Amino acid sequence: MGYELRVVRESPLAFAELAKAIAPAGFELRGSEEIVTGHGGGTHAVARWQGQLVGEPGSDWQVAQLLRLSTALGGRLVGEDGEEYLLNDGVIEVSAAGGVVAIGKFEEIIDAGPAAWSP
């Protein structure tokens, strides 16, 4: 299991609400727990439903998709260590322990697609 990011909301997210909200944002539900979206003619997993939305990104593209998904659901994207992923003037940032680190430009990351991080 990799590093998990979670969509956190003030009010709990019901499965019915999830299913209704993801389609307008460009996501689909595959099976009863996997959230996917398309890129380059393929379908790629972004998150899974476990009573809450959880993703284990393997690329900046997946982080960007998780951030887009959390925004569509009125939530925040939070990592295991409490860091928060934000979109600031078109740039994805990670805020943790009083510091902010830029990941990259949202649109460029989305356009680049889901190429996996190198080990």
Side-chain angles (χ1 to χ4, degrees), residues 20-100:
K20 188 177 186 179
I22 63 172
F27 296 94
E28 298 175 30
L29 186 60
R30 183 165 54 192
S32 62
E33 63 181 49
E34 191 172 39
I35 310 300
V36 299
T37 194
H39 181 74
T43 303
H44 305 276
V46 174
R48 67 188 179 286
W49 175 255
Q50 299 178 320
Q52 65 178 348
L53 279 175
V54 178
E56 292 180 33
S59 68
D60 287 345
W61 182 85
Q62 287 175 307
V63 172
Q65 294 293 355
L66 282 164
L67 184 56
R68 190 166 68 94
L69 182 59
S70 68
T71 300
L73 296 170
R76 299 177 297 121
L77 185 60
V78 179
E80 289 179 11
D81 297 325
E83 73 279 13
E84 186 170 356
Y85 293 75
L86 310 160
L87 189 59
N88 186 13
D89 291 328
V91 175
I92 299 173
E93 298 178 339
V94 180
S95 176
V100 176

